[in-house]
Amino acid sequence: MWRRFWLAFLLGFPLAVALTGLIAWSLPGRWQATLVPAFIPLLPFWVAIIACAVLWRSTWQTLWRLLGLNALAFTVLWLLKTVAI
């Protein structure tokens, strides 16, 4: 359980940042004006990711799921940035 917790602690933070980045991208207005409201859910997202990861069956399952979700979230952010420019 502690391995899954530490994996979620370390890999869950970038995932939570990516999710809040997607929220910031979707809010209307300039990014400077939407930055603070978008990062309000950062901590609840991070805690929810940790809670879900501790419930998964194995450490490997937790590792691969979090790596896959991180790759997916940052790929979507990269695609949004590339298409919008």
Side-chain angles (χ1 to χ4, degrees), residues 66-83:
L66 287 175
L67 284 175
L69 288 171
N70 271 309
L72 178 68
F74 281 104
T75 302
V76 169
L77 278 174
W78 177 77
L79 285 172
L80 285 172
K81 180 183 143 191
T82 305
V83 170

Side-chain angles (χ1 to χ4, degrees), residues 45-81:
F45 280 161
W46 193 17
V47 170
I49 292 166
I50 292 171
C52 289
V54 171
L55 295 176
W56 289 329
R57 288 182 169 260
S58 69
T59 303
W60 289 107
Q61 188 179 25
T62 303
L63 175 67
W64 291 113
R65 283 185 180 183
L66 287 175
L67 284 175
L69 288 171
N70 271 309
L72 178 68
F74 281 104
T75 302
V76 169
L77 278 174
W78 177 77
L79 285 172
L80 285 172
K81 180 183 143 191

Side-chain angles (χ1 to χ4, degrees), residues 1 3 6 11 16-18 22-23 30 33 48 55 58 63 66 71 77 81-82 85:
M1 182 175 110
R3 289 180 189 166
W6 283 109
L11 293 175
V17 168
L22 288 170
I23 290 173
R30 296 182 356 197
L55 295 176
S58 69
L63 175 67
L66 287 175
L77 278 174
K81 180 183 143 191
T82 305
I85 293 177

Side-chain angles (χ1 to χ4, degrees), residues 6-18:
W6 283 109
L7 278 173
F9 185 79
L10 295 174
L11 293 175
F13 183 73
L15 181 58
V17 168

